[in-house]
Amino acid sequence: MEIVLRVLLFTHILFGVLALTSGCAAIAVKKGGKTHRLAGKIFFYSMLGVTASAFIISVAKNNGFLLMIAVFSFYQNYMGYRAIKNKGLIPSSLDWMVLFCAAVNTFFMIWSMNIVLMVFGGISLFLVLGNLRINLKTKRKEVLHPLRWLKLHIGMMMGAYIAAITAFVVVNAGIFAFLNLPEWLPWLLPTLILVPLMGYLTKKYTVKTVGKPGN
């Protein structure tokens, strides 16, 4: 069992490195171009590897904290990539299933009373309610903003990348132990730094006047 866990950990780290590099490339290059699409695909599949290995490790070690973070990361990665493949944002059965799992995970994150999980749980609640709102609008055949899919894509994929960066910072937080920083800071610092970038990219690529768009 120990050997299996070591292999899983190595796999987790390998996928994590790929996610960090490909995600950075996808953010840096021109959006919609060939390089961006390739980097984005590598990032998506790398994050699938990261979350799958994290899920198995968390179950094997009975680590509820890691399990909830893995589900949260998977949810964002899945929904962000799905928005590109489903620009009409019409939910499939699998979309509903992922959203339901994310909602359950959100409840347990907030219920944990762990400050890090509660913060991420609050973010997850905001995202889940947003997805639910979109799904209900499409079911009622209401008109969405023509670039709503792109807003969802950028927000969710950036969220998944923040998760990858957070994992890297937390694992290497010991390097800055001499600064005597609060234990929760490495977990939240990437979010505090990168969320403004997410907002900038969303505004840059989705602000478009098209009549009187919906939400």
Side-chain angles (χ1 to χ4, degrees), residues 132-173:
L132 179 61
R133 183 167 176 258
I134 291 173
N135 289 358
L136 294 177
K137 278 179 171 287
T138 56
K139 185 176 181 179
R140 294 194 297 262
K141 299 187 184 303
E142 295 183 23
V143 178
L144 298 175
H145 189 288
L147 294 179
R148 188 65 186 84
W149 64 271
L150 186 54
K151 291 182 179 181
L152 184 62
H153 171 69
I154 294 174
M156 288 297 194
M157 296 308 278
M158 279 293 295
Y161 186 66
I162 290 173
I165 289 288
T166 300
F168 175 79
V169 171
V170 169
V171 169
N172 294 281

Side-chain angles (χ1 to χ4, degrees), residues 12-28:
H12 181 75
I13 294 172
L14 177 61
F15 278 124
V17 171
L18 286 174
L20 285 173
T21 53
S22 59
C24 182
I27 292 172

Side-chain angles (χ1 to χ4, degrees), residues 5-35:
L5 286 175
R6 287 183 181 180
V7 172
L8 280 171
L9 181 59
F10 175 79
T11 302
H12 181 75
I13 294 172
L14 177 61
F15 278 124
V17 171
L18 286 174
L20 285 173
T21 53
S22 59
C24 182
I27 292 172
V29 300
K30 181 181 179 181
K31 306 302 177 281
K34 184 177 180 180
T35 302

Side-chain angles (χ1 to χ4, degrees), residues 95-163:
D95 295 338
W96 278 110
M97 188 181 302
V98 171
L99 184 60
F100 174 76
C101 290
V104 172
N105 188 59
T106 297
F107 171 80
F108 283 108
M109 290 173 81
I110 296 175
W111 186 261
S112 70
M113 301 307 291
N114 177 291
I115 186 171
V116 173
L117 289 178
M118 289 178 70
V119 170
F120 287 149
I123 295 172
S124 184
L125 178 61
F126 174 78
L127 297 177
V128 166
L129 291 177
N131 275 144
L132 179 61
R133 183 167 176 258
I134 291 173
N135 289 358
L136 294 177
K137 278 179 171 287
T138 56
K139 185 176 181 179
R140 294 194 297 262
K141 299 187 184 303
E142 295 183 23
V143 178
L144 298 175
H145 189 288
L147 294 179
R148 188 65 186 84
W149 64 271
L150 186 54
K151 291 182 179 181
L152 184 62
H153 171 69
I154 294 174
M156 288 297 194
M157 296 308 278
M158 279 293 295
Y161 186 66
I162 290 173

